[in-house]
């Protein structure tokens, strides 16, 4: 038989293993190369972006399938429209509340002025003398066995809230959080910058022909200039032609003459766009760790 000191839960505190098994603490997992999105795949649909010959790239360098990114922009535009309507309703209610408060304050000032001018005090004092006068009246019908408190219920609640603020119905409650003004245009799924459909640029991708004995389901793309397979190297694109090439090939064949090696069209430095490279299992290539945040247990 095993000793009790070796059993789980024998200590007065939870170990790291026990916290993880109980559902507490952040979970971390190292991502390998197979878990990274290969180059040329749509960042939304996770499929090759050239399936329908509609590969496009955003100004931030992310590659998308045109159908997937347009569907995303349409959905986000509808959400922003609904959020804008809710925000306008909130602003209208706030403006109406301010006008009502202003009218009420003006009315209170007018009532106070009229009362002071006529010499009428708005404060009514119920003294014991007045109550005794009612009790000692000569009319027997006016006599009461005990004093009846005819104070209004709202006045009583207001007085109770002043002397007993800890009563649950008098404690302050947090109202709904105010809405912020939504942006005019939907944001990019990854860069967060405003993105329009006309900002998307067509992209020409060239697939690598799989070898006869290859059973891999991952589609690879090659540089049309150097004919090298694109994995996680730096890749450049020409905005005016949509040509994709490796940075090393561009330095040797395109940048010296500032002309496209495939089409022969000249380009400017502003036409160069660096695409987001694919990551690998090495830390230098980008984010290689996934986290799931859960409640901490101290």
């Amino acid at each position: 038989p095993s000793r009790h000191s070796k059993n789980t839960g024998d200590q007065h505190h939870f170990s790291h293993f026990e916290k993880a098994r109980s559902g507490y603490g952040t979970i971390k997992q190292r991502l390998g190369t197979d878990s990274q999105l290969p180059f040329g795949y749509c960042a939304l649909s996770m499929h090759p972006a050239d399936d329908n010959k509609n590969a496009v790239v955003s100004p931030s360098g992310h590659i998308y399938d045109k159908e997937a990114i347009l569907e995303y922009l349409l959905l986000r535009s509808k959400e922003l429209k609904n959020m804008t309507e809710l925000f306008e309703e909130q602003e209208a209610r706030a403006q109406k509340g301010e006008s009502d408060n202003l009218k009420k304050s003006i009315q209170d000032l007018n009532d106070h002025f009229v009362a002071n001018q006529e010499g009428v005090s708005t404060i009514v004092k119920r003294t014991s003398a007045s109550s005794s006068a009612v009790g000692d009246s000569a009319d027997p019908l006016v006599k009461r066995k005990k004093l009846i408190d005819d104070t209004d219920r709202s006045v009583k609640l207001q007085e109770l809230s002043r002397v007993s603020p800890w009563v649950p119905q008098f404690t302050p409650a947090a109202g709904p959080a105010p809405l912020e003004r939504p942006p005019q245009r939907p944001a990019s799924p990854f860069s967060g910058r405003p993105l329009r459909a006309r900002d998307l640029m067509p992209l020409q991708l060239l697939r690598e022909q799989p070898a006869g004995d290859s059973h891999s389901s991952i589609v690879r793309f090659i540089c049309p200039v150097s004919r090298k397979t694109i994995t996680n190297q730096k890749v450049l694109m020409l905005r005016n032609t949509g040509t994709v090439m490796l940075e090393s090939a561009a330095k040797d064949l395109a940048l010296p003459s500032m002309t496209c090696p495939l089409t022969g069209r000249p380009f400017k430095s502003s036409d160069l766009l660096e695409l987001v490279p694919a990551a690998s299992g090495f830390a230098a290539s980008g984010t290689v760790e996934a986290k799931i945040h859960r409640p901490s247990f101290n």
Side-chain angles (χ1 to χ4, degrees):
S2 60
R3 293 181 299 173
H4 179 69
S5 60
K6 299 296 182 181
N7 295 341
T8 303
D10 64 299
Q11 300 178 358
H12 65 279
H13 62 276
F14 272 14
S15 64
H16 176 76
F17 174 77
E18 293 170 348
K19 292 179 183 178
R21 289 292 299 272
S22 301
Y24 294 94
T26 302
I27 301 176
K28 300 180 181 180
Q29 180 65 42
R30 181 68 179 241
L31 302 178
T33 306
D34 297 338
S35 300
Q36 303 290 351
L37 189 69
F39 177 82
Y41 276 60
C42 175
L44 291 177
S45 64
M46 304 297 178
H47 293 287
D50 68 333
D51 279 347
N52 301 321
K53 305 299 181 182
N54 289 328
V56 293
V57 61
S58 66
S60 60
H62 291 87
I63 299 175
Y64 302 99
D65 185 2
K66 188 175 182 179
E67 182 180 354
I69 187 63
L70 290 181
E71 183 180 357
Y72 166 81
L73 292 177
L74 179 61
L75 179 62
R76 288 295 299 163
S77 299
K78 292 182 179 179
E79 292 179 356
L80 290 179
K81 183 178 179 180
N82 296 335
M83 293 172 61
T84 303
E85 293 177 355
L86 295 177
F87 177 78
E88 292 177 353
E89 292 178 1
Q90 172 187 280
E91 292 297 309
R93 289 195 301 267
Q95 187 175 3
K96 184 177 182 300
E98 291 179 358
S99 61
D100 293 344
N101 293 335
L102 180 60
K103 292 180 181 179
K104 185 176 182 302
S105 61
I106 294 176
Q107 184 65 30
D108 293 342
L109 290 176
N110 292 337
D111 295 343
H112 183 69
F113 175 78
V114 171
N116 290 338
Q117 291 297 322
E118 294 179 355
V120 178
S121 175
T122 59
I123 302 176
V124 179
K125 297 182 179 180
R126 297 187 303 273
T127 59
S128 59
S130 60
S131 61
S132 60
V134 173
D136 297 340
S137 177
D139 191 354
L141 298 177
V142 181
K143 291 185 178 181
R144 298 176 178 175
K145 294 183 179 180
K146 60 180 179 179
L147 182 63
I148 300 176
D149 188 4
D150 55 354
T151 308
D152 189 44
R153 175 178 171 80
S154 60
V155 178
K156 292 182 178 180
L157 290 177
Q158 184 177 3
E159 181 67 18
L160 182 61
S161 64
R162 186 181 66 82
V163 299
S164 303
W166 57 84
V167 178
Q169 65 184 39
F170 300 137
T171 55
L179 301 176
E180 298 182 357
R181 182 182 295 274
Q184 297 180 353
R185 298 188 182 93
S188 174
F190 292 92
S191 65
R193 302 172 185 173
L195 183 63
R196 299 173 295 183
R198 64 181 181 180
D199 295 334
L200 302 173
M201 296 165 284
L203 190 68
Q204 297 179 6
L205 297 174
L206 183 60
R207 288 197 181 195
E208 181 183 25
Q209 297 299 328
D213 56 348
S214 177
H215 300 284
S216 177
S217 60
I218 299 178
V219 178
R220 298 292 182 182
F221 296 89
I222 62 175
C223 172
V225 178
S226 63
R227 296 291 173 172
K228 292 182 179 179
T229 304
I230 302 176
T231 53
N232 57 348
Q233 308 100 311
K234 290 186 177 181
V235 184
L236 300 179
M237 189 203 77
L238 300 180
R239 299 174 187 264
N240 56 347
T241 63
T243 304
V244 177
M245 67 186 78
L246 291 173
E247 185 182 36
S248 57
K251 290 181 179 179
D252 296 337
L253 302 174
L255 295 181
S257 60
M258 299 298 289
T259 57
C260 178
L262 299 181
T263 62
R265 293 180 56 183
F267 63 89
K268 301 179 182 179
S269 300
S270 58
D271 294 331
L272 290 173
L273 175 63
E274 183 176 355
L275 304 181
V276 176
S280 64
F282 295 96
S285 64
T287 304
V288 295
E289 189 179 56
K291 295 182 180 180
I292 298 179
H293 298 280
R294 300 188 301 180
S296 59
F297 187 88
N298 298 326

